[in-house]
Amino acid sequence: NRRVIEALLGELPKVLPGTVLWAGGPEASCDAETFLETYPGLTGVMCGEGEGTFSQLIDYYMEGTGALRDIRGIIWRETDGGIRKNQEAELVDLDQLPFPYEDLGAFRNKIVYYESSRGCPFRCSYCLSSIEKQVRYRSMPLVKQDLKIFLEARVPQVKFVDRTFNIDAGRTEELWEWLLEHDNGVTNFHFEIGADRITGEELKIMSRMRPGLIQLEIGVQSVNPDTIRAVQRTMDLVKLKEAVTRIRGFQNIHQHLDLIAGLPGEDLESFRHSFDEVFALKPDQLQLGFLKVLKGTPLYERVEDYGIVFRGEPPYEVLRTNWLSYGDLLLLKGVEEMVEVYYNSRQFGRTLRKILENYESPFTFFQELAEHYESRGYDKISHSRMARYEILREFLESKGFSLKEFDPCMVYDLYARE
């Protein structure tokens, strides 16, 4: 949202003269001095976590207590125009943070985001979470108290924003067992986990859950060992595959697996291999994402080494690397769209299974389908669901397949969806 905020910073002083304006968040605090120089209407920038710092600023302005020079975690403009940098703020005790949802009625039928820990022990060089070296937790009694409020309100989905939820196996097992015991039959809980860290006890608990109680997001990113090393990622691919396969066998937990295109060391052929390996795990959703080069991350400092060129506009998505051309990335964008429409939608299951019997590489199928869309200009317009079937049928015919074996599958999928 940087561009939205920048637009406001230019206009707010016109309609609210004399109002004190502060900024915060990683976009502002990664290079706070430059940010202040660029926006003279700003008084200062809150760096790092904002809860404690913001509270002290409110006291300073509203109560007239303290002095700016004594508030840790800020970079601010003095009356003479000089920029002063205060001492870094101490990390917040998560137990001191109030429950943020006072009125759950305002979130009816909405996803609710919840944080039970901060920080990440891993050092993935593309991720801002790698900067904070320790993991801090909100105490388990408070977490259960918070979640009980969601359960009583029958919130449809609670999405945990913890970077890797299952770092502490004992904590994970305790909370999942508690969710199992307090299940209201409605609320779904979303967790981002490291699948290679799943314990046998966690698997036992998951096997007893009702379908839809929890869902898992699992970042694979790449199966290329050179790429994994280049981004300082820690991952045991064999254990990850075993865990994903075991969980799929329970038939009660939605699994969402992620890949990132544009990482160092991964060319088109390598990415094809990563895609096919992850696709073979039969995730409920396969997200093909694209590298975002974020200021403040270790990867940002090495873009020249890797020949990474990225957009100047948020979210700073990769345009090319030493391994992928801009054309390659456009091709992958087409593949991403086809995966979203024909796989992640879950509307073409029977037909896809039949089609893929004729392809050694699922990636090749999605690539050819994307090229079919582009060659006929279909990628430039929106389509109804029926049109998606008709285009797929046209594609199969152009490849010389007999439609007699695919038409019944399409009819089945269409009626199943309806």
Side-chain angles (χ1 to χ4, degrees), residues 93 139 190 208 214 218 227 255 269 280 300-301 345 373:
D93 177 354
S139 63
H190 176 109
R208 293 158 41 216
I214 72 169
I218 298 164
T227 296
Q255 294 187 96
E269 196 53 43
Y300 181 85
E301 304 301 325
S345 70
Y373 263 73

Side-chain angles (χ1 to χ4, degrees), residues 361-377:
S361 164
F363 182 92
T364 299
F365 160 69
F366 288 111
Q367 177 183 342
E368 290 181 356
L369 185 57
E371 290 167 345
H372 180 83
Y373 263 73
E374 184 181 7
S375 67
R376 286 161 175 76

Side-chain angles (χ1 to χ4, degrees), residues 245-381:
T245 302
R246 285 281 303 279
I247 295 166
R248 188 179 76 240
F250 301 153
Q251 297 186 331
N252 62 346
I253 293 171
H254 174 104
Q255 294 187 96
H256 174 135
L257 271 56
D258 297 334
L259 287 169
I260 297 179
L263 294 175
E266 184 131 79
D267 60 15
L268 194 56
E269 196 53 43
S270 170
F271 191 85
R272 179 192 306 274
H273 178 64
S274 290
F275 182 97
D276 287 344
E277 288 275 294
V278 173
F279 193 89
L281 295 173
K282 301 177 181 177
D284 296 286
Q285 279 203 305
L286 198 170
Q287 180 176 322
L288 198 172
F290 292 80
L291 177 65
K292 315 294 190 296
V293 183
L294 305 177
K295 188 180 288 188
T297 61
L299 185 67
Y300 181 85
E301 304 301 325
R302 298 202 61 189
V303 291
E304 290 187 10
D305 298 340
Y306 297 133
I308 295 175
V309 177
F310 58 96
R311 286 177 58 108
E313 291 289 306
Y316 315 111
E317 191 169 281
V318 63
L319 294 173
R320 69 172 187 267
T321 73
N322 282 341
W323 299 270
L324 287 173
S325 68
Y326 181 57
D328 292 336
L329 283 160
L330 288 180
L331 184 153
L332 292 175
K333 284 284 183 181
V335 171
E336 175 200 26
E337 177 66 15
M338 294 301 98
V339 171
E340 285 297 317
V341 169
Y342 289 100
Y343 182 76
N344 289 342
S345 70
R346 318 304 294 172
Q347 295 176 17
F348 302 84
R350 182 65 65 93
T351 307
L352 268 187
R353 285 195 294 275
K354 190 67 177 174
I355 291 171
L356 291 174
E357 290 174 5
N358 299 277
Y359 282 86
E360 288 186 14
S361 164
F363 182 92
T364 299
F365 160 69
F366 288 111
Q367 177 183 342
E368 290 181 356
L369 185 57
E371 290 167 345
H372 180 83
Y373 263 73
E374 184 181 7
S375 67
R376 286 161 175 76
Y378 297 151
D379 58 329
K380 297 175 177 63
I381 53 178

Side-chain angles (χ1 to χ4, degrees), residues 152-204:
E152 288 172 351
R154 300 173 76 81
V155 168
Q157 185 179 62
V158 178
K159 190 165 186 175
F160 277 69
V161 296
D162 304 47
R163 300 313 302 150
T164 305
F165 178 78
N166 63 325
I167 289 170
D168 184 330
R171 183 180 170 89
T172 303
E173 292 160 14
E174 180 182 348
L175 186 63
W176 282 359
E177 190 69 59
W178 186 88
L179 290 178
L180 191 59
E181 293 168 4
H182 293 80
D183 180 17
N184 63 7
V186 173
T187 305
N188 164 264
F189 294 89
H190 176 109
F191 300 96
E192 187 172 330
I193 67 162
D196 54 341
R197 301 179 64 86
I198 290 176
T199 66
E201 187 58 35
E202 287 166 10
L203 287 168
K204 288 179 186 176

Side-chain angles (χ1 to χ4, degrees), residues 220-240:
V220 183
Q221 322 313 15
S222 172
V223 305
N224 183 329
D226 294 334
T227 296
I228 294 299
R229 279 192 296 272
V231 296
Q232 301 170 45
R233 184 168 171 78
T234 304
M235 182 179 69
D236 186 322
L237 185 60
V238 173
K239 288 184 178 179
L240 183 148

